[in-house]
Amino acid sequence: MKRKGHGSVDIVVLGGGSFGTALASLLADIGRRVRLWVRREEQAKEINQEHRNSRFFPDVELPRSLQATADLEEAVRAAPVLLVVVPSRSFREVASRMGPFVQGDQIVVHATKGIEVDTFKRMSEILREETCALKIGVLSGPNLAGEVMARHPGGALVASRYQEVVDRIQELFRSDRLRVYGGRDVVGTELGGAFKNIIAIAAGAVDGMGFGDNTKAALMTRGLAEITRLGVRLGADPLTFAGLTGLGDLIVTCTSMHSRNRRAGMAIGRGATLEQALGEVRMVVEGVRTTVAAYRLAARHAVSMPITEQIYRVLFEDLPPRAAVANLMTRTRTQEMEDVARRVEWRLLD
């Protein structure tokens, strides 16, 4: 079937932020026919004429083969594969606008690491609600936009119930730049990518308060444990959290200076308010909204998430970060593995 649009393309990336631009640039670099949808006509013209996205990468020249459009209908109808890379707060709005133009035979994958706060919906669930797409998947992993743009090699995971989706995304990204592994655990892949941002805010606060590597190692390890607890309760495979979209993404987001969530946490650890920290980062910090969603989900499902609870109180109840540390360190004694193992056992028995 011939599609409407400017000729044949392999994939359309929807979202002209830092990560959308990075993925589109990578695909163009490795010879894929890719188009990038952006919201503003001025941004599309800048990419097409000057080969730059000055807001996010002012000093980087984009591949000359990468073309952008601000026409959503044209973008959505243009390719057999759509990759949605927009912030979680605007994901439903974009998905709803896409809906009338999506065709049932298209593959629709997202790379957004967040949860819809009001409904607790994952991004794949929103795509199912707002479009007619069936072949849906998620692309996630330890991939910082700046390092993708710098052509550093990395790894990612694409998860879908449809093997066709996994195969197509693996083939599109196949190169010496990004090794994409396949999986079927959509729930775990989405939750791991979203929830690790909460722990990254905490890790940044640890740095901002001047604590060392011992503190951060303990925080990351226990953070992964509580991410896994909630993930398993929501239907995820616990092994997913030991992979790229769990442990891998947690490592990079908690340790890299390029991590927005860590940088926001550092500002808070130094005494900044949430508003001041977000102003300092000047880009979307997904972990803030995800903290709200995870805090409420944990309460609803009676899952212990002490780090998430303390971060919630720091962000939204003005709890001093050092008081949050004291609260965590003086909690009632517990076993390291018992709770996770019990929840895995319950899941296997269900």
Side-chain angles (χ1 to χ4, degrees), residues 295-309:
Y295 177 77
R296 293 175 181 172
L297 277 167
R300 172 181 286 189
H301 295 284
V303 174
S304 173
M305 297 190 74
I307 297 171
T308 298
E309 179 184 352

Side-chain angles (χ1 to χ4, degrees), residues 154-176:
L157 170 68
V158 58
S160 176
R161 293 186 299 170
Y162 292 84
Q163 189 61 40
E164 179 187 350
V165 174
V166 173
D167 293 343
R168 185 71 68 87
I169 295 300
Q170 287 184 304
E171 185 58 33
L172 283 169
F173 280 95
R174 186 168 177 268
S175 67
D176 59 0

Side-chain angles (χ1 to χ4, degrees), residues 241-253:
F241 299 101
L244 287 166
T245 191
L247 178 60
D249 210 353
L250 185 70
I251 290 170
V252 75
T253 314

Side-chain angles (χ1 to χ4, degrees), residues 87-88 111-115 140-144 189-205 219 223-224 226-227 245-246 249-255 258-266 268 284-292 294 305 307-308 311 315:
S88 62
T112 298
K113 298 175 180 179
I115 303 291
S140 189
N143 305 121
L144 298 167
T189 302
E190 290 181 301
L191 295 181
F195 290 158
K196 55 82 185 178
N197 286 328
I198 304 168
I199 309 305
I201 293 175
L219 172 78
L224 183 61
E226 67 180 60
I227 290 171
T245 191
D249 210 353
L250 185 70
I251 290 170
V252 75
T253 314
C254 288
T255 61
H258 299 295
S259 165
R260 304 173 189 180
N261 293 279
R262 179 183 175 229
R263 283 157 46 205
M266 289 179 67
I268 290 168
V284 175
V285 179
E286 286 281 9
V288 173
R289 289 170 57 83
T290 305
T291 298
V292 177
M305 297 190 74
I307 297 171
T308 298
I311 289 298
L315 295 179

Side-chain angles (χ1 to χ4, degrees), residues 60-302:
V60 178
E61 182 175 349
L62 303 180
R64 291 183 174 268
S65 62
L66 176 60
Q67 291 294 299
T69 178
D71 185 327
L72 185 61
E73 178 177 3
E74 172 191 72
V76 171
R77 292 188 184 278
V81 181
L82 305 173
L83 178 58
V84 188
V85 195
V86 299
S88 62
R89 68 185 181 191
S90 56
F91 196 94
R92 186 176 291 276
E93 178 256 328
V94 172
S96 177
R97 290 177 57 197
M98 288 169 52
F101 314 126
V102 172
Q103 300 164 60
D105 63 334
Q106 287 174 294
I107 288 172
V108 184
V109 174
H110 78 85
T112 298
K113 298 175 180 179
I115 303 291
E116 190 172 51
V117 174
D118 295 334
T119 66
F120 304 138
K121 294 291 178 68
R122 293 173 284 106
M123 301 300 109
S124 65
E125 294 177 303
I126 294 173
L127 287 172
R128 291 192 186 282
E129 290 178 354
E130 300 292 345
T131 76
C132 69
L134 295 175
K135 294 179 284 189
I136 291 172
V138 52
L139 179 69
S140 189
N143 305 121
L144 298 167
E147 294 190 8
V148 175
M149 289 295 285
R151 298 176 170 81
H152 295 179
L157 170 68
V158 58
S160 176
R161 293 186 299 170
Y162 292 84
Q163 189 61 40
E164 179 187 350
V165 174
V166 173
D167 293 343
R168 185 71 68 87
I169 295 300
Q170 287 184 304
E171 185 58 33
L172 283 169
F173 280 95
R174 186 168 177 268
S175 67
D176 59 0
R177 294 269 299 279
L178 186 66
R179 181 168 177 80
V180 178
Y181 294 82
R184 296 184 62 83
D185 182 15
V186 175
V187 176
T189 302
E190 290 181 301
L191 295 181
F195 290 158
K196 55 82 185 178
N197 286 328
I198 304 168
I199 309 305
I201 293 175
V206 163
D207 291 327
M209 288 183 282
F211 296 133
D213 295 336
N214 290 352
T215 310
K216 184 178 285 188
L219 172 78
M220 291 171 63
T221 306
R222 297 311 303 161
L224 183 61
E226 67 180 60
I227 290 171
T228 304
R229 277 198 296 270
L230 184 56
V232 169
R233 182 67 179 83
L234 296 175
D237 183 338
L239 291 178
T240 299
F241 299 101
L244 287 166
T245 191
L247 178 60
D249 210 353
L250 185 70
I251 290 170
V252 75
T253 314
C254 288
T255 61
S256 174
M257 278 303 299
H258 299 295
S259 165
R260 304 173 189 180
N261 293 279
R262 179 183 175 229
R263 283 157 46 205
M266 289 179 67
I268 290 168
R270 292 193 296 261
T273 65
L274 175 59
E275 183 178 0
Q276 290 168 339
L278 295 178
E280 185 176 315
V281 175
R282 295 189 298 174
M283 288 188 283
V284 175
V285 179
E286 286 281 9
V288 173
R289 289 170 57 83
T290 305
T291 298
V292 177
Y295 177 77
R296 293 175 181 172
L297 277 167
R300 172 181 286 189
H301 295 284

Side-chain angles (χ1 to χ4, degrees), residues 13 15-30 34 36 43 46-47 50-64 66 85 142-154 173 177-178 258 260 283:
V13 177
S18 58
F19 197 43
T21 302
L23 290 177
S25 297
L26 185 158
L27 288 161
D29 274 344
I30 63 175
V34 57
L36 178 64
Q43 188 181 17
E46 180 186 45
I47 292 170
E50 302 176 28
H51 309 293
R52 294 194 181 279
N53 188 343
S54 59
R55 180 180 175 187
F56 297 99
F57 300 107
D59 301 320
V60 178
E61 182 175 349
L62 303 180
R64 291 183 174 268
L66 176 60
V85 195
N143 305 121
L144 298 167
E147 294 190 8
V148 175
M149 289 295 285
R151 298 176 170 81
H152 295 179
F173 280 95
R177 294 269 299 279
L178 186 66
H258 299 295
R260 304 173 189 180
M283 288 188 283

